[in-house]
Amino acid sequence: MDKIIVHGGRPLSGFVKISGSKNSALPILAATLLTRDQCIIHSVPDLSDIHYMLQILSHLGAQVERASGTVTIQAENVATVAPYEIVRKMRASVCVLGPLLGRHKEARVSLPGGCVIGDRPIDLHLKGFRALNAACRVEAGDVRVFADELRGSTVDLEGRQGPTVLGTGNVLMAATLAEGITVIEGAAAEPEVVDLANFLTKMGAKIEGAGTRRITVEGVKELHGAEHCVIPDRIEAGTFLVAAALAGTVVTLRRVCADHLKAVTNTLSDAGYKMDITRDTITLHGNGSPRPVHIVTEPYPGFPTDMQAQMCALLSRAPGESTVTETVFPQRFMHVSELKRMGADIALEGATARINGVPHLSGAPVMASDLRASAALVLAGLVAEATTEVNRVYHIDRGYESIDEKLAGLGAEIQRVKQGN
Ligand code: EPZ
Protein backbone atom coordinates (compact mmCIF):
# COMPACT_ATOMS: atom_id res chain seq x y z
CA MET A 1 0.00 0.00 0.00
CA ASP A 2 1.43 3.38 -1.04
CA LYS A 3 2.06 6.17 1.40
CA ILE A 4 2.44 9.91 1.01
CA ILE A 5 5.27 11.74 2.80
CA VAL A 6 4.91 15.48 3.41
CA HIS A 7 7.70 17.73 4.68
CA GLY A 8 5.89 20.60 6.40
CA GLY A 9 6.61 24.31 6.24
CA ARG A 10 6.83 24.94 2.50
CA PRO A 11 4.70 27.91 1.35
CA LEU A 12 2.16 27.21 -1.43
CA SER A 13 1.63 29.54 -4.36
CA GLY A 14 0.55 29.44 -7.98
CA PHE A 15 -2.30 27.82 -9.90
CA VAL A 16 -4.10 24.49 -9.66
CA LYS A 17 -6.71 23.10 -12.08
CA ILE A 18 -9.66 21.35 -10.46
CA SER A 19 -10.78 18.01 -11.93
CA GLY A 20 -14.28 16.87 -12.82
CA SER A 21 -16.57 15.92 -9.95
CA LYS A 22 -16.35 12.30 -8.72
CA ASN A 23 -19.81 12.51 -7.15
CA SER A 24 -21.31 13.83 -10.36
CA ALA A 25 -19.48 11.45 -12.73
CA LEU A 26 -20.48 8.28 -10.85
CA PRO A 27 -24.29 8.56 -11.25
CA ILE A 28 -23.89 10.04 -14.76
CA LEU A 29 -21.83 7.01 -15.85
CA ALA A 30 -24.52 4.75 -14.35
CA ALA A 31 -27.20 6.72 -16.23
CA THR A 32 -25.71 5.61 -19.58
CA LEU A 33 -27.35 2.22 -18.85
CA LEU A 34 -30.71 3.87 -19.55
CA THR A 35 -30.14 3.85 -23.32
CA ARG A 36 -28.81 1.44 -25.95
CA ASP A 37 -27.22 4.42 -27.74
CA GLN A 38 -23.65 5.67 -27.37
CA CYS A 39 -22.95 8.31 -24.69
CA ILE A 40 -19.82 10.49 -24.44
CA ILE A 41 -18.86 11.94 -21.05
CA HIS A 42 -16.06 14.53 -20.73
CA SER A 43 -14.04 15.68 -17.68
CA VAL A 44 -14.31 12.29 -16.00
CA PRO A 45 -11.62 12.28 -13.27
CA ASP A 46 -9.02 9.48 -13.19
CA LEU A 47 -9.93 7.94 -9.80
CA SER A 48 -10.21 4.41 -8.47
CA ASP A 49 -13.94 4.91 -7.75
CA ILE A 50 -14.46 5.82 -11.41
CA HIS A 51 -12.40 2.79 -12.44
CA TYR A 52 -14.66 0.54 -10.35
CA MET A 53 -17.80 2.05 -11.90
CA LEU A 54 -16.42 1.47 -15.42
CA GLN A 55 -15.58 -2.13 -14.39
CA ILE A 56 -19.19 -2.66 -13.28
CA LEU A 57 -20.58 -1.20 -16.52
CA SER A 58 -18.26 -3.44 -18.57
CA HIS A 59 -19.22 -6.45 -16.46
CA LEU A 60 -22.87 -5.66 -17.18
CA GLY A 61 -22.02 -5.82 -20.89
CA ALA A 62 -21.57 -2.16 -21.86
CA GLN A 63 -18.82 -1.19 -24.33
CA VAL A 64 -16.54 1.19 -22.40
CA GLU A 65 -13.66 3.21 -23.84
CA ARG A 66 -11.61 5.80 -21.99
CA ALA A 67 -9.31 8.37 -23.62
CA SER A 68 -7.81 10.61 -20.90
CA GLY A 69 -10.79 12.51 -19.41
CA THR A 70 -13.37 11.34 -21.95
CA VAL A 71 -15.35 8.12 -21.53
CA THR A 72 -17.43 6.62 -24.35
CA ILE A 73 -20.06 4.09 -23.28
CA GLN A 74 -22.60 2.06 -25.22
CA ALA A 75 -24.89 -0.21 -23.22
CA GLU A 76 -26.58 -1.95 -26.16
CA ASN A 77 -27.37 -5.20 -24.36
CA VAL A 78 -26.75 -5.28 -20.62
CA ALA A 79 -27.20 -7.86 -17.89
CA THR A 80 -28.95 -6.82 -14.71
CA VAL A 81 -26.75 -8.33 -11.99
CA ALA A 82 -23.83 -6.35 -10.55
CA PRO A 83 -21.54 -8.84 -8.80
CA TYR A 84 -20.34 -8.64 -5.20
CA GLU A 85 -16.65 -8.87 -6.02
CA ILE A 86 -16.77 -5.52 -7.80
CA VAL A 87 -19.61 -3.80 -5.95
CA ARG A 88 -18.02 -4.42 -2.53
CA LYS A 89 -15.19 -2.05 -3.50
CA MET A 90 -17.46 0.96 -3.85
CA ARG A 91 -20.83 1.58 -2.24
CA ALA A 92 -21.80 4.12 -4.90
CA SER A 93 -22.28 1.08 -7.18
CA VAL A 94 -25.77 1.10 -5.71
CA CYS A 95 -26.60 3.82 -8.26
CA VAL A 96 -26.80 1.25 -11.07
CA LEU A 97 -30.06 -0.01 -9.52
CA GLY A 98 -32.16 2.89 -10.78
CA PRO A 99 -31.08 2.83 -14.44
CA LEU A 100 -31.29 -0.99 -14.65
CA LEU A 101 -34.77 -0.90 -13.10
CA GLY A 102 -35.80 1.83 -15.52
CA ARG A 103 -34.38 0.09 -18.62
CA HIS A 104 -35.01 -3.60 -17.82
CA LYS A 105 -37.57 -3.45 -14.97
CA GLU A 106 -35.21 -5.49 -12.80
CA ALA A 107 -31.80 -5.28 -11.15
CA ARG A 108 -29.73 -7.18 -8.60
CA VAL A 109 -26.82 -5.49 -6.78
CA SER A 110 -24.95 -6.62 -3.69
CA LEU A 111 -25.87 -4.53 -0.67
CA PRO A 112 -23.30 -1.78 -0.01
CA GLY A 113 -21.32 -2.45 3.13
CA GLY A 114 -20.99 0.16 5.83
CA CYS A 115 -17.84 2.19 5.98
CA VAL A 116 -15.82 4.14 8.51
CA ILE A 117 -18.00 7.23 8.23
CA GLY A 118 -20.97 5.23 9.44
CA ASP A 119 -23.77 2.94 8.38
CA ARG A 120 -24.73 3.48 4.74
CA PRO A 121 -28.38 2.33 4.48
CA ILE A 122 -30.35 2.37 1.22
CA ASP A 123 -33.86 2.23 2.71
CA LEU A 124 -34.78 5.54 1.06
CA HIS A 125 -33.62 4.29 -2.36
CA LEU A 126 -35.91 1.25 -1.94
CA LYS A 127 -38.78 3.45 -0.68
CA GLY A 128 -38.50 5.39 -3.94
CA PHE A 129 -38.44 2.24 -6.10
CA ARG A 130 -41.50 0.85 -4.29
CA ALA A 131 -43.30 4.13 -4.98
CA LEU A 132 -42.65 3.41 -8.68
CA ASN A 133 -44.48 0.05 -8.29
CA ALA A 134 -41.28 -2.04 -7.97
CA ALA A 135 -40.83 -4.87 -5.48
CA CYS A 136 -37.59 -4.92 -3.46
CA ARG A 137 -36.11 -8.05 -1.91
CA VAL A 138 -32.91 -8.60 0.08
CA GLU A 139 -31.55 -12.03 -0.87
CA ALA A 140 -28.17 -13.50 0.14
CA GLY A 141 -26.55 -10.11 0.62
CA ASP A 142 -27.98 -8.73 -2.60
CA VAL A 143 -30.81 -6.32 -3.13
CA ARG A 144 -33.14 -7.26 -5.99
CA VAL A 145 -35.64 -4.80 -7.42
CA PHE A 146 -38.18 -5.71 -10.11
CA ALA A 147 -41.52 -4.61 -11.60
CA ASP A 148 -43.92 -5.64 -14.37
CA GLU A 149 -44.15 -1.97 -15.20
CA LEU A 150 -42.97 1.21 -13.50
CA ARG A 151 -45.70 3.70 -12.65
CA GLY A 152 -44.96 7.24 -11.50
CA SER A 153 -46.23 8.53 -8.15
CA THR A 154 -45.31 11.01 -5.41
CA VAL A 155 -42.69 9.97 -2.85
CA ASP A 156 -40.92 11.78 0.00
CA LEU A 157 -37.23 10.80 0.11
CA GLU A 158 -36.30 12.84 3.17
CA GLY A 159 -34.79 10.62 5.87
CA ARG A 160 -33.97 11.17 9.54
CA GLN A 161 -30.58 12.57 8.51
CA GLY A 162 -32.04 14.71 5.74
CA PRO A 163 -32.18 14.07 1.96
CA THR A 164 -30.24 11.32 0.18
CA VAL A 165 -28.01 12.36 -2.72
CA LEU A 166 -27.55 8.98 -4.43
CA GLY A 167 -31.08 7.95 -3.43
CA THR A 168 -32.49 11.00 -5.23
CA GLY A 169 -30.34 10.18 -8.28
CA ASN A 170 -31.35 6.50 -8.26
CA VAL A 171 -35.08 7.20 -8.10
CA LEU A 172 -34.77 10.04 -10.61
CA MET A 173 -33.08 7.73 -13.13
CA ALA A 174 -35.73 5.00 -12.77
CA ALA A 175 -38.56 7.57 -12.95
CA THR A 176 -37.42 8.87 -16.37
CA LEU A 177 -38.77 5.63 -17.94
CA ALA A 178 -41.77 5.11 -15.62
CA GLU A 179 -45.35 5.50 -16.85
CA GLY A 180 -46.78 8.92 -15.93
CA ILE A 181 -45.64 11.61 -13.50
CA THR A 182 -43.27 11.11 -10.56
CA VAL A 183 -42.83 13.78 -7.88
CA ILE A 184 -39.82 13.42 -5.56
CA GLU A 185 -40.42 15.44 -2.39
CA GLY A 186 -37.54 15.99 0.04
CA ALA A 187 -35.12 15.58 -2.88
CA ALA A 188 -31.41 16.32 -2.49
CA ALA A 189 -30.50 19.67 -4.08
CA GLU A 190 -26.74 19.06 -4.47
CA PRO A 191 -25.09 20.36 -7.68
CA GLU A 192 -24.27 16.74 -8.55
CA VAL A 193 -28.01 15.95 -8.68
CA VAL A 194 -28.53 18.94 -10.99
CA ASP A 195 -25.67 17.75 -13.22
CA LEU A 196 -27.24 14.28 -13.44
CA ALA A 197 -30.65 15.82 -14.27
CA ASN A 198 -29.02 17.95 -16.99
CA PHE A 199 -27.45 14.85 -18.54
CA LEU A 200 -30.76 12.92 -18.36
CA THR A 201 -32.54 15.87 -20.01
CA LYS A 202 -30.00 15.77 -22.88
CA MET A 203 -30.95 12.06 -23.21
CA GLY A 204 -34.60 13.08 -23.68
CA ALA A 205 -35.88 12.87 -20.11
CA LYS A 206 -38.50 15.37 -18.93
CA ILE A 207 -37.40 16.73 -15.55
CA GLU A 208 -38.29 19.91 -13.66
CA GLY A 209 -37.13 21.22 -10.29
CA ALA A 210 -33.65 19.66 -10.11
CA GLY A 211 -31.70 21.67 -7.53
CA THR A 212 -34.80 22.19 -5.39
CA ARG A 213 -36.32 19.89 -2.78
CA ARG A 214 -39.15 18.94 -5.22
CA ILE A 215 -38.33 17.27 -8.54
CA THR A 216 -41.03 16.38 -11.08
CA VAL A 217 -40.42 13.77 -13.82
CA GLU A 218 -42.70 12.93 -16.74
CA GLY A 219 -41.83 9.41 -17.89
CA VAL A 220 -40.93 8.80 -21.54
CA LYS A 221 -40.82 5.60 -23.60
CA GLU A 222 -37.08 5.57 -24.16
CA LEU A 223 -33.96 7.71 -23.88
CA HIS A 224 -31.29 8.33 -26.51
CA GLY A 225 -27.53 8.87 -26.34
CA ALA A 226 -26.03 12.21 -25.30
CA GLU A 227 -22.72 14.02 -24.78
CA HIS A 228 -21.96 15.80 -21.50
CA CYS A 229 -19.17 17.53 -19.58
CA VAL A 230 -19.10 16.81 -15.84
CA ILE A 231 -19.09 19.82 -13.48
CA PRO A 232 -15.92 20.67 -11.51
CA ASP A 233 -15.40 18.87 -8.21
CA ARG A 234 -16.48 21.30 -5.47
CA ILE A 235 -14.97 19.14 -2.72
CA GLU A 236 -11.57 18.90 -4.39
CA ALA A 237 -11.76 22.68 -4.83
CA GLY A 238 -12.65 23.19 -1.16
CA THR A 239 -9.79 20.91 -0.16
CA PHE A 240 -7.30 23.04 -2.11
CA LEU A 241 -8.75 26.23 -0.60
CA VAL A 242 -8.00 24.80 2.85
CA ALA A 243 -4.48 23.89 1.67
CA ALA A 244 -4.01 27.51 0.59
CA ALA A 245 -5.44 28.80 3.87
CA LEU A 246 -3.05 26.59 5.84
CA ALA A 247 0.14 27.03 3.82
CA GLY A 248 -0.58 29.53 1.13
CA THR A 249 0.76 32.81 0.17
CA VAL A 250 -1.50 33.25 -2.88
CA VAL A 251 -3.12 30.25 -4.59
CA THR A 252 -5.53 30.36 -7.54
CA LEU A 253 -7.94 27.53 -8.34
CA ARG A 254 -8.95 27.25 -12.00
CA ARG A 255 -11.98 25.47 -13.51
CA VAL A 256 -14.11 25.73 -10.41
CA CYS A 257 -17.81 26.53 -10.17
CA ALA A 258 -17.60 29.19 -7.43
CA ASP A 259 -21.39 29.12 -7.03
CA HIS A 260 -21.17 25.55 -5.69
CA LEU A 261 -18.70 26.54 -2.98
CA LYS A 262 -20.49 29.45 -1.26
CA ALA A 263 -20.84 27.71 2.11
CA VAL A 264 -17.11 26.94 2.08
CA THR A 265 -15.89 30.35 0.88
CA ASN A 266 -18.23 32.12 3.33
CA THR A 267 -16.79 30.03 6.18
CA LEU A 268 -13.19 30.73 5.09
CA SER A 269 -14.06 34.42 4.90
CA ASP A 270 -15.46 34.24 8.46
CA ALA A 271 -12.16 32.61 9.43
CA GLY A 272 -10.38 35.72 8.16
CA TYR A 273 -9.23 34.74 4.66
CA LYS A 274 -9.45 37.14 1.72
CA MET A 275 -10.53 35.63 -1.61
CA ASP A 276 -10.91 37.00 -5.13
CA ILE A 277 -13.81 35.06 -6.68
CA THR A 278 -14.94 34.96 -10.31
CA ARG A 279 -17.40 32.52 -11.94
CA ASP A 280 -14.73 29.88 -12.54
CA THR A 281 -11.68 30.88 -10.46
CA ILE A 282 -11.01 31.45 -6.76
CA THR A 283 -7.81 33.06 -5.47
CA LEU A 284 -7.19 32.70 -1.73
CA HIS A 285 -4.67 34.81 0.15
CA GLY A 286 -3.24 32.68 2.93
CA ASN A 287 -2.30 34.87 5.85
CA GLY A 288 -1.27 32.68 8.73
CA SER A 289 -3.64 31.26 11.26
CA PRO A 290 -7.42 31.39 10.93
CA ARG A 291 -9.90 32.94 13.32
CA PRO A 292 -11.98 30.36 15.23
CA VAL A 293 -15.38 29.57 13.66
CA HIS A 294 -18.35 27.33 14.43
CA ILE A 295 -19.45 24.94 11.67
CA VAL A 296 -22.51 22.69 11.36
CA THR A 297 -22.55 20.36 8.35
CA GLU A 298 -25.85 20.31 6.45
CA PRO A 299 -27.27 19.16 3.13
CA TYR A 300 -26.59 21.53 0.20
CA PRO A 301 -26.50 24.53 0.16
CA GLY A 302 -25.28 24.20 3.78
CA PHE A 303 -21.71 23.43 4.77
CA PRO A 304 -20.81 20.08 3.12
CA THR A 305 -20.02 17.05 5.28
CA ASP A 306 -17.31 16.16 2.73
CA MET A 307 -15.38 19.28 3.80
CA GLN A 308 -15.70 18.66 7.56
CA ALA A 309 -12.43 16.78 8.07
CA GLN A 310 -10.44 19.33 6.08
CA MET A 311 -11.84 22.17 8.22
CA CYS A 312 -10.89 20.30 11.40
CA ALA A 313 -7.30 20.31 10.13
CA LEU A 314 -7.44 24.07 9.46
CA LEU A 315 -9.15 24.97 12.74
CA SER A 316 -6.52 22.98 14.65
CA ARG A 317 -4.41 26.09 14.04
CA ALA A 318 -7.07 28.71 14.98
CA PRO A 319 -6.23 30.43 18.31
CA GLY A 320 -9.32 30.07 20.54
CA GLU A 321 -12.16 27.56 20.45
CA SER A 322 -13.90 26.35 17.29
CA THR A 323 -16.63 23.74 17.04
CA VAL A 324 -17.50 21.45 14.14
CA THR A 325 -20.84 19.62 14.35
CA GLU A 326 -21.59 16.77 11.95
CA THR A 327 -25.31 16.28 11.24
CA VAL A 328 -25.12 14.14 8.08
CA PHE A 329 -22.72 11.36 9.19
CA PRO A 330 -22.51 11.86 12.99
CA GLN A 331 -19.67 9.31 13.29
CA ARG A 332 -17.48 10.95 10.64
CA PHE A 333 -14.57 11.84 12.94
CA MET A 334 -11.93 9.18 12.17
CA HIS A 335 -9.49 12.01 11.40
CA VAL A 336 -9.67 13.46 14.92
CA SER A 337 -7.55 10.79 16.62
CA GLU A 338 -4.90 11.09 13.90
CA LEU A 339 -4.86 14.91 14.07
CA LYS A 340 -4.42 14.60 17.85
CA ARG A 341 -1.34 12.45 17.21
CA MET A 342 0.01 15.48 15.35
CA GLY A 343 -0.59 17.68 18.39
CA ALA A 344 -4.08 18.98 17.69
CA ASP A 345 -6.24 19.74 20.73
CA ILE A 346 -9.66 18.31 19.83
CA ALA A 347 -12.34 16.89 22.12
CA LEU A 348 -15.24 14.88 20.69
CA GLU A 349 -18.61 15.43 22.35
CA GLY A 350 -21.13 13.28 20.49
CA ALA A 351 -21.32 14.64 16.94
CA THR A 352 -19.39 17.81 17.83
CA ALA A 353 -15.63 18.30 17.71
CA ARG A 354 -14.48 21.05 20.09
CA ILE A 355 -11.17 22.37 18.78
CA ASN A 356 -8.70 24.55 20.68
CA GLY A 357 -6.13 25.90 18.27
CA VAL A 358 -2.46 25.14 18.86
CA PRO A 359 0.47 27.18 17.53
CA HIS A 360 2.14 24.16 15.95
CA LEU A 361 1.34 20.70 14.67
CA SER A 362 4.10 18.11 14.64
CA GLY A 363 4.69 15.64 11.83
CA ALA A 364 3.95 11.99 12.58
CA PRO A 365 3.14 8.72 10.88
CA VAL A 366 -0.68 8.70 10.57
CA MET A 367 -3.26 6.33 9.18
CA ALA A 368 -5.73 7.27 6.47
CA SER A 369 -9.21 5.88 7.06
CA ASP A 370 -11.66 7.43 4.65
CA LEU A 371 -11.38 9.62 1.61
CA ARG A 372 -11.76 13.04 3.20
CA ALA A 373 -10.02 12.18 6.48
CA SER A 374 -6.99 11.15 4.44
CA ALA A 375 -6.99 14.47 2.63
CA ALA A 376 -7.22 16.29 5.97
CA LEU A 377 -4.09 14.52 7.21
CA VAL A 378 -2.15 15.52 4.10
CA LEU A 379 -3.28 19.12 4.62
CA ALA A 380 -2.16 19.05 8.25
CA GLY A 381 1.20 17.69 7.09
CA LEU A 382 1.69 20.78 4.92
CA VAL A 383 2.10 22.94 8.05
CA ALA A 384 3.27 20.38 10.59
CA GLU A 385 6.86 20.54 11.77
CA ALA A 386 9.16 17.91 10.25
CA THR A 387 7.66 15.00 8.32
CA THR A 388 4.18 13.49 8.15
CA GLU A 389 3.71 10.05 6.68
CA VAL A 390 0.14 9.25 5.58
CA ASN A 391 -0.34 5.52 5.15
CA ARG A 392 -3.04 3.66 3.17
CA VAL A 393 -3.36 6.44 0.61
CA TYR A 394 -5.58 4.23 -1.54
CA HIS A 395 -8.35 6.02 0.33
CA ILE A 396 -7.17 9.32 -1.16
CA ASP A 397 -6.89 7.88 -4.66
CA ARG A 398 -10.60 7.10 -4.55
CA GLY A 399 -11.48 10.79 -4.71
CA TYR A 400 -8.49 12.95 -5.58
CA GLU A 401 -6.78 12.96 -8.96
CA SER A 402 -2.99 13.22 -8.38
CA ILE A 403 -3.31 15.24 -5.17
CA ASP A 404 0.43 14.81 -4.44
CA GLU A 405 1.41 16.09 -7.90
CA LYS A 406 -1.02 19.02 -7.69
CA LEU A 407 0.27 20.04 -4.24
CA ALA A 408 3.88 19.64 -5.40
CA GLY A 409 3.00 21.92 -8.32
CA LEU A 410 2.06 24.57 -5.73
CA GLY A 411 5.40 24.20 -3.94
CA ALA A 412 4.69 21.52 -1.35
CA GLU A 413 7.50 19.09 -0.56
CA ILE A 414 5.48 15.91 -0.95
CA GLN A 415 6.11 12.53 -2.48
CA ARG A 416 4.29 9.25 -2.93
CA VAL A 417 6.22 6.15 -1.88
CA LYS A 418 5.07 3.03 -3.63
CA GLN A 419 4.97 0.01 -1.35
CA GLY A 420 4.31 -3.63 -2.07
CA ASN A 421 0.83 -4.75 -1.12
C1 EPZ B 1 -23.20 11.09 -1.28
O1 EPZ B 1 -23.28 9.87 -0.59
C2 EPZ B 1 -21.72 11.32 -1.54
N1 EPZ B 1 -21.18 10.21 -2.33
C3 EPZ B 1 -20.96 11.41 -0.22
O2 EPZ B 1 -19.62 11.73 -0.53
C4 EPZ B 1 -21.55 12.55 0.60
O3 EPZ B 1 -20.90 12.60 1.86
C5 EPZ B 1 -23.06 12.31 0.81
O4 EPZ B 1 -23.71 12.17 -0.47
C6 EPZ B 1 -23.73 13.45 1.56
O5 EPZ B 1 -23.53 14.64 0.85
C7 EPZ B 1 -21.45 10.15 -3.67
O6 EPZ B 1 -22.14 11.00 -4.21
C8 EPZ B 1 -20.81 9.03 -4.42
P1 EPZ B 1 -26.69 10.23 1.33
P2 EPZ B 1 -24.74 9.18 -0.37
O7 EPZ B 1 -27.57 9.15 0.82
O8 EPZ B 1 -25.66 9.58 -1.44
C9 EPZ B 1 -28.73 8.61 5.26
C10 EPZ B 1 -17.30 11.49 -0.52
O9 EPZ B 1 -16.52 11.77 0.38
N2 EPZ B 1 -29.44 7.69 4.36
O10 EPZ B 1 -26.93 11.63 0.88
O11 EPZ B 1 -24.51 7.74 -0.11
C11 EPZ B 1 -27.23 8.35 5.32
O12 EPZ B 1 -26.93 7.34 6.27
C12 EPZ B 1 -18.59 10.77 -0.22
O13 EPZ B 1 -17.15 11.82 -1.74
C13 EPZ B 1 -30.46 6.90 4.87
O14 EPZ B 1 -30.79 6.94 6.05
O15 EPZ B 1 -25.18 9.86 1.00
C14 EPZ B 1 -26.69 9.71 5.71
O16 EPZ B 1 -26.78 9.86 7.11
C15 EPZ B 1 -18.64 10.28 1.23
N3 EPZ B 1 -31.11 6.04 4.02
C16 EPZ B 1 -27.62 10.69 5.02
O17 EPZ B 1 -28.82 9.94 4.73
C17 EPZ B 1 -30.80 5.96 2.69
O18 EPZ B 1 -31.45 5.18 1.96
C18 EPZ B 1 -27.08 11.25 3.72
O19 EPZ B 1 -26.68 10.16 2.92
C19 EPZ B 1 -29.75 6.78 2.20
C20 EPZ B 1 -29.09 7.64 3.05
Side-chain angles (χ1 to χ4, degrees):
M1 286 184 260
D2 294 2
K3 59 185 173 183
I4 283 182
I5 298 176
V6 192
H7 302 278
R10 307 292 183 280
L12 301 188
S13 63
F15 298 88
V16 60
K17 185 168 175 249
I18 299 304
S19 300
S21 163
K22 164 179 84 83
N23 291 351
S24 184
L26 288 170
I28 284 174
L29 291 170
T32 63
L33 294 169
L34 284 162
T35 178
R36 55 187 309 112
D37 294 351
Q38 183 183 84
C39 293
I40 301 174
I41 315 296
H42 301 288
S43 290
V44 178
D46 182 13
L47 304 170
S48 49
D49 271 13
I50 297 293
H51 171 70
Y52 293 139
M53 178 57 79
L54 296 181
Q55 260 191 342
I56 291 169
L57 298 180
S58 300
H59 184 96
L60 290 171
Q63 300 300 315
V64 177
E65 281 171 34
R66 175 172 198 141
S68 68
T70 294
V71 174
T72 304
I73 299 176
Q74 183 148 14
E76 203 157 352
N77 300 298
V78 287
T80 58
V81 179
Y84 174 72
E85 62 272 13
I86 306 179
V87 170
R88 70 181 172 80
K89 298 174 188 171
M90 181 189 62
R91 67 169 307 283
S93 324
V94 71
C95 66
V96 301
L97 277 173
L100 289 175
L101 180 63
R103 170 99 180 264
H104 287 298
K105 309 298 177 279
E106 70 167 315
R108 185 184 186 112
V109 174
S110 83
L111 272 170
C115 64
V116 289
I117 67 178
D119 184 21
R120 306 297 294 274
I122 61 166
D123 57 303
L124 298 172
H125 300 235
L126 304 185
K127 175 182 179 184
F129 294 147
R130 288 191 185 98
L132 297 177
N133 187 45
C136 304
R137 299 276 185 281
V138 175
E139 298 165 353
D142 289 352
V143 59
R144 187 163 75 89
V145 295
F146 53 98
D148 295 334
E149 62 166 8
L150 293 179
R151 286 195 297 274
S153 75
T154 296
V155 61
D156 187 337
L157 286 188
E158 172 110 21
R160 277 181 304 105
Q161 310 287 158
T164 165
V165 173
L166 285 181
T168 300
N170 240 341
V171 177
L172 175 61
M173 288 187 275
T176 58
L177 294 176
E179 194 72 31
I181 303 289
T182 298
V183 178
I184 303 175
E185 303 281 3
E190 271 67 4
E192 294 77 23
V193 173
V194 176
D195 205 24
L196 170 64
N198 290 340
F199 175 58
L200 292 168
T201 303
K202 286 180 185 175
M203 295 173 78
K206 294 181 179 169
I207 300 168
E208 286 180 12
T212 73
R213 303 303 306 278
R214 187 174 195 272
I215 300 176
T216 302
V217 187
E218 180 185 347
V220 294
K221 282 279 173 250
E222 64 178 6
L223 296 177
H224 51 73
E227 188 162 359
H228 187 74
C229 186
V230 169
I231 57 172
D233 193 312
R234 62 191 169 101
I235 305 300
E236 184 196 22
T239 303
F240 276 96
L241 287 175
V242 171
L246 276 165
T249 55
V250 181
V251 173
T252 296
L253 278 57
R254 285 179 171 156
R255 198 185 174 272
V256 298
C257 187
D259 253 5
H260 295 163
L261 275 155
K262 283 185 178 161
V264 175
T265 51
N266 290 343
T267 302
L268 289 169
S269 173
D270 293 345
Y273 293 98
K274 181 178 171 304
M275 284 160 279
D276 309 322
I277 299 176
T278 70
R279 191 178 57 80
D280 58 359
T281 65
I282 300 177
T283 299
L284 187 137
H285 301 262
N287 55 3
S289 58
R291 289 198 291 258
V293 292
H294 301 283
I295 294 171
V296 179
T297 67
E298 292 171 325
Y300 193 85
F303 191 90
T305 173
D306 294 347
M307 280 297 303
Q308 182 258 105
Q310 300 90 314
M311 286 306 290
C312 285
L314 176 63
L315 297 173
S316 297
R317 298 283 308 277
E321 181 180 86
S322 301
T323 56
V324 177
T325 300
E326 176 59 74
T327 70
V328 180
F329 292 109
Q331 299 167 1
R332 192 176 197 171
F333 287 109
M334 296 295 288
H335 44 285
V336 166
S337 50
E338 297 303 304
L339 287 171
K340 288 169 74 171
R341 298 188 60 248
M342 298 175 72
D345 177 359
I346 306 176
L348 276 183
E349 295 159 6
T352 294
R354 196 170 292 282
I355 306 171
N356 285 300
V358 294
H360 305 290
L361 293 174
S362 53
V366 288
M367 189 68 73
S369 53
D370 87 271
L371 171 55
R372 309 304 173 182
S374 318
L377 296 174
V378 172
L379 297 181
L382 294 172
V383 289
E385 290 166 347
T387 300
T388 298
E389 196 175 279
V390 182
N391 294 288
R392 294 188 185 170
V393 290
Y394 59 86
H395 289 294
I396 290 188
D397 295 337
R398 287 189 46 213
Y400 290 93
E401 196 173 35
S402 316
I403 191 170
D404 43 327
E405 291 167 22
K406 290 187 177 184
L407 285 170
L410 291 171
E413 191 176 340
I414 181 170
Q415 70 256 16
R416 174 187 293 262
V417 176
K418 291 214 172 294
Q419 288 190 315
N421 286 329

